[in-house]
Amino acid sequence: MMPSGAPLCNICGEQLELGENGEMIVACHECNYPICKECFEHEINEGHKVCLKCGTPYEGKSKDGDDDSDADDGIKVHETPSTSTLASQIHNSEDVGGLHARHVSTVSTADNEQVNEESGNSTWKKRMKSWKGKGKDKKNKNKKDAVPKAKADNEASAPSEQQMEEIRSPEAAALPLSVVVPIVKSKLAPYRTVIIVRLIILGLFFHYRVTNPVESAFPLWLTSIICEIWFAFSWVLDQFPKWSPVNRYTYIENLSARFEREGEPSGLASVDFFVSTVDPLKEPPLITANTVLSILAVDYPVDKVSCYVSDDGAAMLTFESLVETAEFARQWVPFCKKFSIEPRAPEFYFSQKIDYLKDKVQPSFVKERRAMKREYEEYKVRVNAMVAKAQKTPEEGWSMQDGTPWPGNNSRDHPGMIQVFLGHTGARDIEGNELPRLVYVSREKRPGYQHHKKAGAENALVRVSAVLTNAPFILNLDCDHYVNNSKAVREAMCFLMDPEVGRDVCYVQFPQRFDGIDRSDRYANRNTVFFDVNMRGLDGIQGPMYVGTGCVFNRQALYGYSPPSMLNLPISSCCCCPSKSTKDVSRISRDAKRAELEAAIYNLRETDRKHNYDENERSTLISQMSFEKTFGLSTVFIESALMENGGGVPESADPSMLIKEAIHVISCGYEEKTEWGKEIGWIYGSVTEDILTGFKMQCRGWRSIYCMPLRPAFKGSAPINLSDRLHQVLRWALGSVEIFLSRHCPLWYAIGGGRLKWLQRLAYVNTIVYPFTSLPLVAYCTLPAICLLTGKFIIPTLSNLASVLFLGLFLSIIVTSVLELRWSGVCIEDLWRNEQFWVIGGSSAHLFAVFQGFLKMLAGVDTNFTVTAKAAEDTEFGELYLIKWTTLLIPPTTLIIINMVGVVAGFSDALNGGYESWGPLFGKVFFAFWVIFHLYPFLKGLMGRQNRTPTIVILWSVLLASVFSIIWVKIDPFVKKVDSDTIAETCVAIDC
């Protein structure tokens, strides 16, 4: 992604020269601003001794060896690593998978020339002309007089530091905050070509398969044809959304230059963090506390950060642990910011196996680190003591320190609770500095009300935050996902605060990265293929999907508004089905509520500009305009929702009444007869509310951004043992089935809107139909055993043409994977693990999700999912070997056993059948081993640590093996099949 030669000079446009040691010459060692040697010498001769970009004085020494900033002869020209070294570094960063690099040379050739042209040549040449203007008329005089006069003129015309700052301010505002770098053509063009070739081969392959049936095994042949057609359809859905992958690079230093000028208040936008938790016994408070601490210590202005913790289980343990966390944060936050440590979650910082003295030059660091570690250990003891105490609930319920009963003793019947711990009016850190706001929230729950699980809790946080802080952007995290990169919010702001890029962006999604996963990633917990391949492909279309955590939202998009570029559409248009004909009454009725809302917003803003209403008049106007039918019965919330840029509570709101209003908006009946969960906030109707919420936003015309910083923004924990992993996948698959059976199915929802691009729609269709692949997958994995047991096969005797087609199909699959690895940077092991778990999950969790989804949607039989347990402390990878018996393990176990029995039966039959039977055997055995190899991680997981297989697994294995042994004996493969008529003809009487 870097030009083959050296970078261009930002004054004359010529390529930079290389020094004697082969290193590139630049003018400034602070910012490595590229200026050629001739232009640099001209700058020095003209008396310009500060860098044109950053204003740093050039280093230099006089001829006598003393420091002398006025000595032109001794000013140094700095050298950076050679061009080849830089190119190799950028190449390596590209191969890693779209990692962010912040060098001038990281953009593509075209982009680099454009940046140099706009921010370099034209800008600096104008400055050069203006600075030299006074000296041009004096060049024709005597040289002896001209030299001192020119020098004096240049010194007079050179700008002062204040003038330089004034000059840099508009230039800083023009610097890009991010840049899009498409994958280079040398990698992308062959990839696309092979995709098309593979599509053609698939067509020829299916033509051969359909026109050459196997009459002797027609049912098996027909089953295989149906399965293969579905696999091809699934491949198309998965492959083509990756047609235009892109990389994005951010420049957070330009963000600071634009919005954080020295001596002025920070212009960065405020951000509300959401952390959701339910059961403190399954989601340890220490894990949640580390997430909260990493948020409070984030590298962002403290007055711009607010952290809201949703306790949907109303547990006093969560509340008390948050009290301790707020107290510990008074010491932890200043320590993090003083020494710029990473990550800023104490548990994970202190557990790093690295040299923590590296790059830490402060003499007090070692002493303060030891003291902080001791404080953290004491804090852990206090929190763990609370957890141990909470294991047994008292009969009379929990009581607070003042003896008052805890309001949340009944987790299904309790009032709403809000507690502000830190913030503008709360406690400060030990150095007296302000801390970010920390708010505990537990929404009201009453019997008879539908609470919508996590989606309902997130919507409650949206309303509470709108009343208390109303930041224009929202970042939501799971309780086990901590901030691993303290500058992650700044990375997102490079897109959201860019007036050009962020105008129609509904959210910025970060990839999920995980700690504590075994080195081989046995069950594909990292999901590397999805996050580094599929999501980057979607970023080149309309943006990545929302994956539930690590996402920064535009609050206006959550409120159901259309993007600014869509506001000029006709009033009868809708994100679902725009109406081009006045006769299309059904489509107009679908958009009635949305059109009414946007018209009411417009009318209210217009009347506000023309009239000054007092609070009572404004409340009456809001009620008359039917905002209450959309947002609910809270005037304060409605006013905050109508603020275009957010960033504060409405002026008409009474500060003393904000907590009371916040309690009101989290009442259990607040959402009744409103648009919450239908058009506003997190969308209800699926356990995977993340996919549904992002899908609705993009149907309205919004786009999203995928941000992959060099240092992962967030890290979390994943269930690494087999049973928990399958239950997690089951939950995701069931959510997809629910969406498929709902009105929001991407197959038909918003089909005529024109706002969702067709490749984006293919990607969403893939997310809801992939569980149904389990049906043909289980059937296809059963075919090898049946073929081996019956002696039949699904493919007829191959001709030369058929052999070429099969070979071409296998080669195209391999080449597609290799080229995909080449542009994405994903390693082949990750691809293979993903392929293996596709078979494991497809034959177990996905299969159950299909049946449970239909039972839930058609018969009303609901399946309650428990929260996946997160381990706070354990031996390394100890959880990997835990086996928790579940019915999800039965189908893969069955497939393994029947294929093993089939292999044994096939070899036994070949031994009895003679030389001719070995040829057909190899194809069948290869087919069976393909299934066994894909299920090998599952088989390894069943064995547990040191091959101690659970008793229940042994019993199931024996039972299934016995059943298939009986079937095998019934088929009797050892006896040569002879017709009875032949026996009668050859029968001799005496022998008979």
Side-chain angles (χ1 to χ4, degrees):
M1 293 182 290
M2 175 182 173
S4 57
L8 304 180
C9 171
N10 274 358
I11 293 182
C12 65
E14 299 292 333
Q15 287 191 342
L16 299 189
E17 298 179 1
L18 300 180
E20 297 178 355
N21 56 356
E23 295 182 343
M24 185 178 65
I25 299 176
V26 295
C28 177
H29 73 288
E30 293 291 336
C31 62
N32 289 339
Y33 191 65
I35 300 179
C36 67
K37 189 174 182 180
E38 289 75 14
C39 292
F40 178 77
E41 292 175 353
H42 180 75
E43 284 283 291
I44 299 304
N45 293 333
E46 292 292 330
H48 307 147
K49 302 171 185 176
V50 295
C51 175
L52 297 176
K53 182 179 180 182
C54 66
T56 304
Y58 298 131
E59 292 183 0
K61 292 184 179 181
S62 64
K63 295 179 180 179
D64 297 330
D66 299 325
D67 292 340
D68 186 3
S69 59
D70 296 331
D72 296 342
D73 297 338
I75 295 180
K76 297 180 181 179
V77 179
H78 297 275
E79 298 181 347
T80 64
S82 62
T83 307
S84 60
T85 305
L86 287 175
S88 64
Q89 292 174 354
I90 300 304
H91 176 74
N92 291 336
S93 68
E94 178 190 358
D95 289 343
V96 169
L99 302 179
H100 285 212
R102 298 178 183 84
H103 307 291
V104 177
S105 57
T106 56
V107 296
S108 62
T109 305
D111 294 332
N112 201 3
E113 291 173 358
Q114 184 178 0
V115 171
N116 288 335
E117 212 171 48
E118 295 178 359
S119 63
N121 296 343
S122 59
T123 304
W124 303 123
K125 284 182 179 179
K126 289 179 181 178
R127 288 179 57 191
M128 293 286 290
K129 290 179 181 179
S130 64
W131 294 351
K132 299 176 190 175
K134 296 182 180 181
K136 285 186 177 179
D137 298 335
K138 303 179 182 180
K139 288 185 178 180
N140 296 329
K141 294 186 178 181
N142 192 347
K143 292 183 179 180
K144 294 182 180 180
D145 297 332
V147 172
K149 288 182 179 180
K151 184 175 182 180
D153 289 339
N154 284 324
E155 289 179 353
S157 61
S160 63
E161 291 186 7
Q162 182 178 0
Q163 292 172 331
M164 284 288 294
E165 184 64 30
E166 293 175 355
I167 292 172
R168 284 201 302 270
S169 297
E171 291 166 358
L175 292 175
L177 299 183
S178 64
V179 62
V180 179
V181 183
I183 306 297
V184 293
K185 291 183 179 180
S186 61
K187 294 183 178 180
L188 197 57
Y191 177 65
R192 291 175 173 175
T193 302
V194 173
I195 291 175
I196 299 300
V197 171
R198 182 174 172 181
L199 197 62
I200 296 172
I201 294 175
L202 274 174
L204 298 174
F205 171 78
F206 283 120
H207 178 267
Y208 167 79
R209 292 282 282 130
V210 172
T211 57
N212 291 270
V214 182
E215 299 295 342
S216 59
F218 189 82
L220 297 179
W221 170 83
L222 183 60
T223 302
S224 66
I225 287 293
I226 295 173
C227 295
E228 290 164 2
I229 291 175
W230 180 265
F231 294 152
F233 172 69
S234 300
W235 173 77
V236 170
L237 293 180
D238 181 70
Q239 191 69 59
F240 278 90
K242 297 181 282 189
W243 187 260
S244 302
V246 297
N247 292 322
R248 293 184 186 271
Y249 298 91
T250 57
Y251 302 97
I252 57 177
E253 63 276 6
N254 295 346
L255 182 76
S256 299
R258 184 180 298 189
F259 296 104
E260 293 182 301
R261 297 172 185 169
E262 188 175 356
E264 299 180 10
S266 173
L268 294 175
S270 301
V271 181
D272 288 338
F273 286 78
F274 292 174
V275 179
S276 57
T277 182
V278 181
D279 188 348
L281 299 180
K282 294 182 178 179
E283 299 170 331
L286 199 59
I287 295 293
T288 304
N290 271 270
T291 299
V292 171
L293 289 169
S294 68
I295 293 173
L296 298 178
V298 72
D299 183 7
Y300 208 71
V302 292
D303 58 323
K304 306 288 185 179
V305 176
S306 300
C307 179
Y308 294 83
V309 180
S310 171
D311 177 18
D312 219 31
M316 195 174 76
L317 173 58
T318 302
F319 180 84
E320 290 185 337
S321 65
L322 213 57
V323 174
E324 289 289 344
T325 302
E327 183 64 26
F328 178 71
R330 298 177 62 246
Q331 306 174 64
W332 175 251
V333 172
F335 171 76
C336 293
K337 295 187 175 181
K338 180 178 181 180
F339 298 108
S340 300
I341 67 168
E342 296 285 2
R344 298 188 178 182
E347 181 69 27
F348 302 95
Y349 170 68
F350 290 121
S351 63
Q352 290 183 114
K353 298 178 181 179
I354 60 173
D355 182 10
Y356 62 85
L357 296 178
K358 185 178 181 181
D359 300 329
K360 301 298 180 185
V361 295
Q362 295 91 334
S364 62
F365 171 68
V366 176
K367 182 178 179 181
E368 292 193 33
R369 185 185 185 278
R370 289 174 180 170
M372 183 54 60
K373 188 174 183 180
R374 183 171 59 253
E375 292 290 339
Y376 177 64
E377 293 297 332
E378 294 176 357
Y379 161 74
K380 285 175 62 177
V381 170
R382 295 193 296 270
V383 174
N384 289 331
M386 295 179 187
V387 175
K389 181 181 177 182
Q391 297 297 321
K392 186 177 181 180
T393 305
E395 294 182 0
E396 65 278 6
W398 298 105
S399 298
M400 293 184 285
Q401 292 183 355
D402 59 356
T404 307
W406 172 247
N409 277 323
N410 187 345
S411 61
R412 298 182 180 180
D413 186 4
H414 64 85
M417 296 177 282
I418 295 178
Q419 176 66 47
V420 180
F421 292 107
L422 303 173
H424 181 66
T425 59
R428 294 177 175 264
D429 64 25
I430 57 176
E431 297 180 357
N433 300 319
E434 184 180 345
L435 288 169
R437 185 179 304 230
L438 176 61
V439 184
Y440 169 87
V441 179
S442 181
R443 58 181 173 144
E444 182 186 16
K445 286 188 176 182
R446 300 297 181 190
Y449 288 91
Q450 179 62 262
H451 300 106
H452 303 290
K453 300 179 182 178
K454 180 181 177 181
E458 295 287 350
N459 284 337
L461 290 182
V462 172
R463 296 192 292 271
V464 168
S465 62
V467 171
L468 297 181
T469 53
N470 196 33
F473 302 110
I474 293 171
L475 196 161
N476 85 296
L477 291 172
D478 289 342
C479 65
D480 60 331
H481 275 71
Y482 63 92
V483 181
N484 183 64
N485 183 349
S486 61
K487 298 184 184 296
V489 182
R490 295 178 181 270
E491 298 274 358
M493 292 302 122
C494 286
F495 302 108
L496 293 171
M497 295 190 68
D498 191 321
E500 299 295 329
V501 178
R503 179 176 174 83
D504 293 338
V505 174
C506 55
Y507 58 83
V508 175
Q509 177 67 63
F510 291 87
Q512 292 185 22
R513 306 300 186 198
F514 301 97
D515 288 318
I517 297 176
D518 59 299
R519 297 175 184 86
S520 63
D521 193 13
R522 181 186 295 177
Y523 306 123
N525 281 280
R526 293 190 178 94
N527 284 332
T528 308
V529 174
F530 174 75
F531 287 114
D532 289 10
V533 181
N534 296 58
M535 296 286 270
R536 287 172 64 194
L538 291 177
D539 199 16
I541 308 173
Q542 198 173 342
M545 302 172 185
Y546 167 43
V547 294
T549 184
C551 186
V552 186
F553 284 97
N554 182 338
R555 188 183 285 267
Q556 296 293 307
L558 279 173
Y559 287 158
Y561 299 149
S562 297
S565 61
M566 297 290 179
L567 294 181
N568 296 327
L569 292 177
I571 194 69
S572 61
S573 66
C574 170
C575 67
C576 300
C577 298
S579 175
K580 296 183 180 180
S581 172
T582 56
K583 297 180 181 180
D584 195 352
V585 180
S586 61
R587 292 186 177 182
I588 294 177
S589 62
R590 289 185 182 182
D591 191 42
K593 293 183 180 179
R594 178 60 46 201
E596 180 184 0
L597 175 61
E598 293 183 354
I601 293 171
Y602 175 79
N603 292 334
L604 181 61
R605 288 173 180 166
E606 285 298 312
T607 52
D608 275 351
R609 291 176 186 148
K610 297 177 181 179
H611 307 283
N612 292 323
Y613 293 104
D614 60 23
E615 185 177 354
N616 292 332
E617 292 174 332
R618 184 177 176 84
S619 300
T620 303
L621 184 63
I622 288 175
S623 179
Q624 290 174 351
M625 289 184 173
S626 302
F627 282 98
E628 293 177 350
K629 296 179 181 178
T630 302
F631 293 113
L633 300 174
S634 173
T635 304
V636 176
F637 174 77
I638 294 174
E639 290 193 39
S640 68
L642 298 180
M643 296 176 67
E644 294 185 9
N645 298 319
V649 180
E651 296 180 359
S652 60
D654 184 0
S656 62
M657 300 296 292
L658 290 181
I659 293 295
K660 182 179 180 181
E661 193 69 22
I663 291 290
H664 169 57
V665 298
I666 60 173
S667 59
C668 56
Y670 184 85
E671 295 183 354
E672 287 191 342
K673 298 180 181 179
T674 66
E675 294 298 315
W676 285 101
K678 302 172 185 175
E679 297 292 334
I680 301 174
W682 271 257
I683 307 301
Y684 304 150
S686 171
V687 294
T688 53
E689 70 287 331
D690 46 5
I691 294 177
L692 200 53
T693 302
F695 173 66
K696 291 273 287 187
M697 290 181 182
Q698 294 188 336
C699 283
R700 296 188 187 107
W702 294 94
R703 68 152 298 133
S704 56
I705 296 290
Y706 198 50
C707 183
M708 298 178 65
L710 183 62
R711 179 181 179 86
F714 310 100
K715 279 190 174 183
S717 58
I720 63 174
N721 71 71
L722 181 59
S723 304
D724 286 346
R725 173 66 167 146
L726 289 178
H727 274 291
Q728 182 187 57
V729 174
L730 172 62
R731 183 170 65 251
W732 295 342
L734 179 60
S736 297
V737 175
E738 290 173 343
I739 297 174
F740 177 80
L741 298 175
S742 71
R743 70 183 186 90
H744 293 117
C745 179
L747 287 171
W748 51 75
Y749 185 81
I751 195 66
R755 299 188 185 182
L756 192 68
K757 297 184 179 180
W758 70 275
L759 283 179
Q760 193 81 10
R761 184 177 297 279
L762 281 184
Y764 276 110
V765 170
N766 187 43
T767 61
I768 60 138
V769 302
Y770 78 88
F772 297 96
T773 306
S774 60
L775 298 174
L777 181 61
V778 171
Y780 209 70
C781 291
T782 309
L783 288 177
I786 297 176
C787 291
L788 287 167
L789 289 171
T790 60
K792 304 180 184 299
F793 200 38
I794 59 176
I795 300 174
T797 304
L798 295 179
S799 62
N800 293 335
L801 177 61
S803 301
V804 171
L805 286 176
F806 275 91
L807 181 61
L809 182 61
F810 280 111
L811 288 179
S812 64
I813 293 173
I814 295 172
V815 174
T816 304
S817 301
V818 170
L819 293 177
E820 195 168 273
L821 298 180
R822 187 165 173 256
W823 67 256
S824 67
V826 176
C827 65
I828 192 170
E829 184 180 9
D830 291 326
L831 186 68
W832 174 236
R833 293 300 185 199
N834 182 77
E835 183 76 13
Q836 285 180 312
F837 198 79
W838 173 72
V839 177
I840 295 171
S843 60
S844 57
H846 298 172
L847 184 66
F848 278 75
V850 171
F851 291 107
Q852 291 183 9
F854 277 98
L855 285 174
K856 180 177 181 180
M857 301 303 293
L858 301 180
V861 179
D862 194 6
T863 303
N864 293 322
F865 288 100
T866 57
V867 179
T868 305
K870 281 82 177 178
E873 290 183 78
D874 198 356
T875 57
E876 187 178 20
F877 314 132
E879 189 185 354
L880 176 67
Y881 304 101
L882 295 178
I883 294 295
K884 304 172 184 177
W885 177 252
T886 171
T887 52
L888 295 177
L889 302 178
I890 297 176
T893 305
T894 305
L895 289 177
I896 291 175
I897 292 177
I898 64 173
N899 277 279
M900 287 183 174
V901 171
V903 170
V904 174
F907 277 103
S908 301
D909 192 28
L911 289 172
N912 289 275
Y915 177 78
E916 294 80 7
S917 59
W918 285 98
L921 175 66
F922 285 121
K924 303 172 188 177
V925 170
F926 173 80
F927 199 5
F929 275 114
W930 179 89
V931 177
I932 295 173
F933 286 155
H934 277 76
L935 293 174
Y936 176 72
F938 177 86
L939 180 61
K940 196 172 181 180
L942 289 180
M943 306 307 293
R945 188 189 293 272
Q946 297 176 354
N947 296 334
R948 293 192 299 235
T949 308
T951 306
I952 188 67
V953 176
I954 297 176
L955 293 177
W956 264 103
S957 302
V958 172
L959 176 62
L960 293 173
S962 301
V963 171
F964 284 101
S965 297
I966 294 172
I967 296 174
W968 183 21
V969 171
K970 179 65 177 176
I971 297 172
D972 200 5
F974 292 104
V975 179
K976 185 178 181 180
K977 305 299 184 298
V978 183
D979 192 7
S980 58
D981 295 336
T982 305
I983 296 177
E985 292 177 359
T986 58
C987 181
V988 180
I990 191 171
D991 295 330
C992 293

